Amino acid sequence: MIDLRSDTVTKPSEKMRKAMYEAEVGDDVYGEDPTVNKLEEIAAEILGKEAALFVTSGTQGNQIAGLVHCKPGEEVILEAQSHIFLYEAAAMSAFAGVQTKTLAGDRGAMKPSDVEAALREDDVHEPETGLICLENTHNKAGGAVIPLENMEAIYQIAKRHGIPVHLDGARLFNASVASGIPVKKFAEQTDTVQICLSKGLGAPAGSIIAGSSAFISKARKWRKRLGGGLRQVGVLAAPGIIALQENAGRLQEDHESAKRLAEGLQNIKGITLESEVETNIIIINIAHSNKTTAAFLSELKENGVLAGEFGPHLIRFVTNNSVTETDIDQVLLVIQKILHFQPIS
Ligand SMILES: *Cc1c(COP(=O)(O)O)cnc(C)c1O
């Protein structure tokens, strides 16, 4: 199977498995797992923050940020197609007791003037704005890189109003590789950041949240409350270290595969690219083909290719380290065949 459903399907490499086997461990709830401590130090350094915390998932990292930054009854500003709003089961409302205020973005980027206009007044009728969330790269916008200047402008406004900014950087390393801007520079424009080790970076599990030391000590308590205080978890931190130190650079290969796939798809009748391909996500629209989304996906599967549904007529492909150039060419052949095969009558 050529699996393009997500970059979460990546499996730990031989080197990662060896590091897991050999990892020095201790009880991380006591702060005594040397491998976790090392991962957190490395991550804080790469992200340019005082401290970092290893958390079970990207969702948990984003939710801890919401819990630390906000009080119940506050409002969180985020982009209308953001992962936190669409795909985290309303966790911010369920756990942090906040309501969301969504703003439509342009390729995932909210207009700074819209953000400023959405900030709440000091009025007995209104909730207080507790947090602004950004997402880079933006998943639903097809892996779009949010420009650094856009983040800067929003952060300036937030600072002026004393409101914290959190970055959902599940794919921040993709943004960095595509733009040539270090992850640190993006993270500098926010108070806190979440990155996924388990997507394109290839670790089997886990995310990092980073911010000030004060933020991280509160985050540690929330992680415990949420049941995320793990014990000898150095076995999972060890591949995380390899993910950070060695795998960020190879994301370029995923971006090249994505470009190759996008170029090929553009030449197939019945398909339009839904958005420009900047990183490792390709979204196509098949409204003008003769297939329903369900039929298209099941015929892909019969031909050894997995992809995901991403809305009416929309299909998402995500390149990842298990996919070769030859695989991409094979995917293109399969799609040609599915869409244009005419049975001989
Ligand atoms: C995957 C993802 C998350 C959540 O990560 P999980 O580890 O799956 O919980 C958050 N934000 C974005 C943009 C993502 O793509």
Side-chain angles (χ1 to χ4, degrees), residues 57-59 62 83 88 135 139 168 170-171 194 196 199:
S57 66
T59 300
N62 288 335
H83 193 280
E88 300 190 10
E135 181 176 318
N139 173 39
D168 176 357
R171 297 191 179 84
Q194 182 277 122
C196 285
K199 293 195 168 162

Side-chain angles (χ1 to χ4, degrees), residues 86-338:
L86 291 181
Y87 300 126
E88 300 190 10
M92 277 217 183
S93 302
F95 298 150
V98 294
Q99 73 176 12
T100 48
K101 166 82 182 171
T102 54
L103 302 177
D106 175 17
R107 288 187 57 67
M110 294 182 286
K111 252 202 192 148
S113 55
D114 288 350
V115 172
E116 185 147 37
L119 300 176
R120 295 295 195 149
E121 308 272 316
D122 181 12
D123 181 304
V124 71
H125 299 90
E126 297 195 19
E128 281 138 29
T129 303
L131 180 66
I132 299 166
C133 292
L134 308 177
E135 181 176 318
N136 205 359
T137 62
H138 196 288
N139 173 39
K140 197 77 183 178
V145 178
I146 304 301
L148 186 62
E149 311 77 65
N150 176 264
M151 292 182 60
E152 261 165 12
I154 291 173
Y155 197 40
Q156 287 308 318
I157 292 165
K159 280 201 288 198
R160 234 185 297 126
H161 294 269
I163 294 161
V165 177
H166 173 70
L167 172 60
D168 176 357
R171 297 191 179 84
L172 188 60
F173 285 85
N174 294 88
S176 170
V177 164
S179 63
I181 298 169
V183 285
K184 223 182 243 199
K185 286 274 167 205
F186 287 109
E188 205 174 80
Q189 300 307 324
T190 66
D191 296 285
T192 58
V193 54
Q194 182 277 122
I195 55 151
C196 285
L197 300 168
S198 64
K199 293 195 168 162
L201 296 181
S207 273
I208 290 285
I209 48 174
S212 69
S213 303
F215 169 82
I216 291 299
S217 50
K218 288 181 198 155
R220 198 176 282 283
K221 188 148 217 169
W222 272 114
R223 185 185 67 174
K224 189 77 180 89
R225 281 197 188 101
L226 293 174
L230 304 177
R231 304 295 180 186
Q232 287 72 27
V233 74
V235 291
L236 285 178
I241 292 172
I242 296 171
L244 278 182
Q245 291 188 323
E246 297 178 28
N247 289 0
R250 67 148 303 286
L251 292 175
Q252 184 58 35
E253 293 169 34
D254 295 348
H255 297 181
E256 279 158 20
S257 311
K259 289 235 152 65
R260 189 179 182 90
L261 182 55
E263 275 159 25
L265 288 168
Q266 261 167 336
N267 298 324
I268 299 178
K269 230 174 88 198
I271 287 181
T272 50
L273 282 183
E274 188 67 10
S275 54
E276 189 197 328
V277 175
E278 294 180 63
T279 57
N280 67 331
I281 298 176
I282 302 113
I283 302 172
I284 58 167
N285 191 318
I286 58 163
H288 298 295
S289 76
N290 54 351
K291 299 279 177 206
T292 63
T293 316
F296 184 78
L297 286 174
S298 85
E299 286 175 45
L300 272 185
K301 190 170 175 184
E302 280 161 28
N303 287 278
V305 179
L306 297 174
E309 184 175 350
F310 217 47
H313 310 299
L314 299 183
I315 305 283
R316 185 184 76 159
F317 300 93
V318 187
T319 56
N320 61 72
N321 74 9
S322 70
V323 180
T324 63
E325 226 172 70
T326 322
D327 290 338
I328 296 294
D329 295 341
Q330 172 65 15
V331 171
L332 289 167
L333 282 176
V334 165
I335 294 174
Q336 284 276 11
K337 181 177 116 179
I338 290 175

